[in-house]
């Protein structure tokens, strides 16, 4: 279907957009005075935004009466996982120097790091079971398993909320978006938004 | 003999009262070529301005000087300080585009973007409180009275990044001594400019304004502590705390208060901004200490701006030899 193709292309574009965003930053000023920090921030934001985008596919599809948007949901989710893995990898390599002791200490002592790691740990099995074969194999349990995406997204928002600079509310827009995406899934709201 | 050497040869006076006995970390100091160049530039500037460090012209002239390209510092740098670190300075570009100055916003790019509206002349500094000779001094007078020297110091931000900055300034102790602290004086309180018209974030409640800092008197009198008026051989850019800022290299950067308008000597420990804002996270002392973590991140390592990986943080930011004695017998976990 042509419509499904458009959705897929849009999703691929969104998935790659952070690369462009990072590339422009590199070209303009080398990502500033602290490029590692900037890279961690941009990949982290990319991961969370793509995760939220993935969660908005189903409600949009329902509202527009276009269930064929589904492939976009999977693509965006996988992209979120990819950017989150890169984000965590850069942190592990350049902030923690691949030192397992330092990493453990961070996880134990910094709630925001534990929340981020938990979010990533949840996203990995979701990514691994996102293809058709796993869906068929898991049957009804697939749906239950993939409900964990809400937990992962909540943990990711918590991860941002707990690290913020005092006086700034950088997690607020993410938290608002997530709350909205959860709200439209409440059965009464959902019924109302669905177009047949 | 290079011009820079010639300049050093004409040194007017030793670097400071403690220059002789100081055993700084810089015995093996090698002047980086950038800095030699910087000194040459300074020399040229000094020659060009002749007695430019003398009485300044009108207020208008001073104002334009701070906003035009003429950024050459009028006071020649005379000799390397024994307190200099031998480490290569951070690039000037990075040091002037990445820092915290909440008066202009919480993002580290905000100061470079917004601080250009700060008017740094005319500027007066008030010194009062427990002193026999309180005074209000015009900045240009202050510059003439206390010859500037260069100090290449490490700067460690509480956010776990660091830089090496060639400051230009004079020891705070000189000024304090001249104001003759009374026998009751035990602390020194500092205050930044309060003017929301020039410092837009003061319209918000990001922090309680004006920004305040404080030191114990013995800390303030330490020869490492300077009031800086320049960096990288030039006048201090507004985003770095122009026209006058404190530099206390063994403490987290937030102690080094910027755009200072008032210094008050007190009997009691003065309230300080970050400590008021989050007492569990920011102490009054705020000595750089890899053993005491910030509640939300580790202080064991830091990213030196310009480097990819983190490096270990040093106790007292590497100045332990000079300052550890100030805290003998104190529980530094409690007084963090
Ligand atoms: C093991 C896993 C993770 C680690 C080690 C990690 C580490 C970090 C670190 C060090 C920061 C910067 C903190 C600061 O600057 O103070 C950060 C920020 C962030 N992370 Fe993560 N993270 C992880 C997982 C995730 C996941 C799964 C997501 C999203 C799906 C995510 C999204 C973000 C976002 C949005 C930010 C804030 C970026 C900003 O300030 O603009 N992180 N993370």
């Amino acid at each position: 279907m042509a419509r499904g193709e458009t959705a897929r292309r849009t999703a691929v574009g969104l998935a790659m957009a952070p690369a462009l965003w990072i590339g422009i930053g590199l070209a303009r000023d080398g990502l500033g005075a602290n490029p590692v920090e900037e890279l961690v921030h941009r990949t982290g934001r990319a991961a969370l935004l793509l995760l939220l985008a993935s969660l908005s596919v189903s409600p949009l599809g329902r509202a527009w009466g276009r269930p064929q948007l589904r492939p976009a949901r999977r693509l965006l989710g996988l992209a979120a996982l990819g950017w989150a893995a890169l984000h965590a990898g850069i942190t592990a390599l350049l902030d923690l120097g691949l030192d397992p002791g330092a990493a453990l200490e961070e996880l134990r002592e910094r709630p925001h790091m534990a929340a981020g790691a938990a979010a990533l740990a949840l996203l990995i099995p979701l990514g691994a079971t996102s293809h058709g074969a796993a869906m068929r194999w898991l049957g009804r349990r697939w749906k239950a398993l993939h409900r964990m995406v809400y937990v992962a997204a909540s943990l990711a928002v918590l991860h941002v909320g707990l690290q913020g600079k005092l006086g700034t509310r950088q997690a607020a827009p993410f938290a608002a978006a997530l709350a909205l995406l959860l709200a439209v899934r409440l059965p009464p709201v959902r019924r109302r938004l669905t177009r047949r | 003999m290079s011009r820079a050497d010639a300049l050093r040869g004409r040194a007017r006076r030793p670097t400071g009262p403690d220059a002789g006995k100081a055993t700084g970390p810089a015995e093996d100091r090698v002047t980086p070529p950038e800095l030699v160049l910087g000194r040459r530039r300074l020399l040229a500037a000094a020659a060009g301005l002749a007695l430019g460090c003398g009485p300044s012209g009108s207020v208008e002239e001073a104002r334009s000087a701070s906003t035009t390209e003429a950024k050459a510092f009028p006071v020649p740098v005379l000799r390397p300080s024994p307190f200099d670190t031998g480490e290569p300075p951070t690039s000037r570009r990075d040091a002037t585009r990445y820092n915290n100055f909440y008066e202009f916003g919480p993002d580290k790019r905000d100061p470079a973007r917004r601080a250009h509206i700060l008017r740094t002349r005319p500027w007066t500094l008030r010194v009062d409180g427990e002193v026999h000779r309180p005074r209000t001094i015009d900045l240009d007078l202050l510059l003439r009275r206390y010859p500037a020297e260069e100090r290449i110091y490490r700067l460690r931000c509480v956010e776990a990044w660091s830089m090496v900055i060639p400051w230009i300034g004079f020891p705070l102790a000189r000024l304090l001594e001249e104001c003759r602290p009374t026998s009751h004086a035990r602390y020194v309180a500092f205050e930044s400019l309060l003017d929301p018209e020039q410092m837009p974030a003061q319209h918000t409640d990001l922090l309680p304004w004006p920004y305040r800092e404080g030191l114990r008197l013995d800390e303030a009198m330490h020869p490492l502590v300077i009031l800086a008026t320049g960096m990288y051989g030039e006048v201090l850019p507004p985003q770095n705390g122009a026209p006058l800022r404190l530099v206390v290299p063994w403490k987290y950067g937030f102690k080094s208060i910027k755009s200072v308008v008032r210094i008050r000597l007190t009997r009691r420990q003065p309230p300080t901004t970050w400590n008021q804002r989050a007492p569990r996270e920011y102490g009054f002392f705020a000595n750089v200490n890899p053993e005491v973590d910030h509640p939300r991140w580790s202080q064991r390592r830091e990213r030196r701006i310009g480097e990819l990986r983190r490096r270990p943080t040093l106790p007292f930011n590497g100045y332990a030899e000079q300052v550890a004695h100030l805290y003998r017998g104190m529980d530094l976990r409690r007084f963090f």
Side-chain angles (χ1 to χ4, degrees):
Chain A
M1 253 320 266
R3 271 173 185 170
E5 190 51 30
T6 310
R8 214 185 63 83
R9 286 207 187 139
T10 310
V12 171
L14 287 176
M16 302 307 290
L20 191 67
W21 184 35
I22 290 166
I24 289 172
L26 271 172
R28 205 171 51 190
D29 61 354
L31 286 177
N34 195 342
V36 176
E37 177 187 67
E38 193 59 31
L39 211 53
V40 167
H41 284 193
R42 290 190 185 199
T43 51
R45 260 178 274 176
L48 187 48
L49 287 172
L50 286 166
L51 194 57
L52 295 173
S54 167
L55 287 178
S56 39
V57 171
S58 297
L60 285 178
R62 258 195 307 278
W64 295 340
R66 289 179 192 175
Q68 65 272 46
L69 293 183
R70 284 223 160 162
R73 186 176 70 171
R74 171 172 178 241
L75 245 159
L76 291 169
L78 282 174
L81 172 61
W83 285 106
L86 186 63
H87 167 77
I90 294 168
T91 305
L93 178 67
L94 297 174
D95 273 358
L96 306 174
L98 288 184
D99 172 359
L104 266 177
E105 184 190 303
E106 288 289 309
L107 290 182
R108 242 194 346 257
E109 296 182 13
R110 311 294 148 217
H112 79 264
M113 287 296 234
L120 183 60
L122 281 179
L123 287 178
I124 290 169
L126 301 189
T129 58
S130 65
H131 49 91
M135 258 173 130
R136 281 187 296 277
W137 176 59
L138 285 166
R140 301 237 316 272
R141 284 170 302 170
W142 190 89
K143 206 156 189 183
L145 177 65
H146 279 252
R147 286 231 165 87
M148 296 303 268
V149 74
Y150 304 115
V151 182
S154 307
L155 283 167
V157 171
L158 190 67
H159 166 62
V160 183
L162 290 173
Q163 66 186 235
K165 264 191 159 183
L166 289 179
T168 66
R169 295 177 192 88
Q170 58 180 355
F174 296 123
L178 179 61
L180 183 72
L181 289 170
L182 290 174
V184 297
R185 284 174 161 82
L186 294 174
V189 186
R190 182 171 161 163
R191 243 173 278 128
R192 212 174 257 207
L193 289 178
T194 303
R195 200 168 96 180
R196 268 164 271 252
Chain B
M1 185 157 95
S2 78
R3 297 176 79 190
D5 288 339
L7 177 58
R8 270 179 228 144
R10 288 198 292 118
R12 265 182 291 172
R13 57 198 301 178
T15 309
D18 295 83
K21 51 182 151 110
T23 49
E27 245 96 65
D28 55 349
R29 182 181 189 287
V30 181
T31 306
E34 263 180 79
L35 277 180
V36 173
L37 269 177
R39 291 206 174 84
R40 282 190 190 141
R41 222 171 338 121
L42 284 174
L43 180 66
L49 294 170
L51 297 171
C53 58
S56 73
S58 66
V59 166
E60 278 320 305
E61 199 181 302
R63 209 173 264 169
S64 66
S66 69
T67 50
T68 60
E69 291 302 297
K71 283 193 182 141
F73 202 72
V75 183
V77 178
L78 300 172
R79 53 167 59 182
S81 159
F83 291 128
D84 286 353
T85 163
E87 294 163 276
T90 303
S91 79
R92 182 184 187 279
R93 180 165 143 81
D94 284 346
T96 53
R97 67 171 169 165
Y98 183 87
N99 69 327
N100 283 307
F101 195 169
Y102 268 48
E103 281 82 342
F104 297 99
D107 191 289
K108 284 186 280 297
R109 286 164 300 187
D110 288 336
R113 279 196 288 241
R114 301 195 185 143
H116 57 90
I117 59 171
L118 183 69
R119 290 188 303 271
T120 55
R121 292 290 192 292
W123 192 276
T124 51
L125 174 70
R126 170 95 190 135
V127 185
D128 59 10
E130 290 290 343
V131 287
H132 292 295
R133 293 193 199 147
R135 56 184 65 184
T136 303
I137 320 167
D138 178 75
L139 183 74
D140 292 308
L141 228 72
L142 200 73
L143 288 179
R144 256 182 297 152
R145 189 162 184 88
Y146 304 105
E149 10 178 313
E150 188 173 64
R151 300 283 183 96
I152 306 172
Y153 284 161
R154 285 177 289 272
L155 168 83
R156 170 62 157 79
C157 176
V158 73
E159 295 171 342
W161 52 267
S162 65
M163 296 184 177
V164 172
I165 298 187
W167 299 108
I168 295 178
F170 60 88
L172 174 64
R174 294 246 186 91
L175 172 65
L176 294 183
E177 274 159 8
E178 282 206 0
C179 296
R180 305 243 329 269
T182 69
S183 58
H184 300 299
R186 289 202 47 218
Y187 290 90
V188 186
F190 302 84
E191 223 174 88
S192 290
L193 179 68
L194 176 64
D195 183 354
E197 295 312 305
Q198 297 188 61
M199 297 178 146
Q202 287 181 340
H203 284 297
T204 73
D205 61 359
L206 209 50
L207 291 175
W209 311 109
Y211 194 94
R212 291 195 174 89
E213 259 311 331
L215 296 170
R216 234 169 39 195
L217 184 57
D218 59 338
E219 296 178 317
M221 297 297 285
H222 193 282
L224 275 171
V225 179
I226 59 168
L227 281 174
T229 51
M231 63 194 255
Y232 295 88
E234 296 176 355
V235 170
L236 206 56
Q239 65 266 35
N240 295 90
L244 187 73
R245 65 167 292 167
L246 186 68
V247 178
V248 190
W250 72 90
K251 291 176 182 280
Y252 293 121
F254 68 86
K255 295 294 290 182
S256 293
I257 184 170
K258 304 183 182 80
S259 305
V260 179
V261 293
R262 187 166 180 211
I263 298 178
R264 201 162 37 88
L265 283 84
T266 63
R267 297 176 182 216
R268 297 220 186 87
Q269 183 178 308
T272 57
T273 299
W274 277 106
N275 180 246
Q276 278 181 304
R277 181 71 179 73
R280 277 184 53 252
E281 302 190 5
Y282 309 98
F284 174 81
F285 287 95
N287 294 316
V288 174
N289 188 344
E291 297 304 315
V292 178
D293 285 347
H294 184 279
R296 285 179 289 138
W297 58 84
S298 167
Q299 296 293 27
R300 209 154 290 161
R301 290 173 301 273
E302 66 198 45
R303 172 162 299 116
R304 176 67 52 84
I305 294 304
E307 294 178 356
L308 223 47
R309 288 172 178 251
R310 292 186 185 242
R311 52 160 74 205
T313 286
L314 304 172
F316 298 105
N317 201 21
Y319 300 96
E321 205 181 313
Q322 287 81 22
V323 302
H325 69 271
L326 295 172
Y327 310 100
R328 202 164 285 143
M330 266 174 71
D331 178 358
L332 294 177
R333 286 188 172 275
R334 208 175 135 221
F335 299 100
F336 59 92

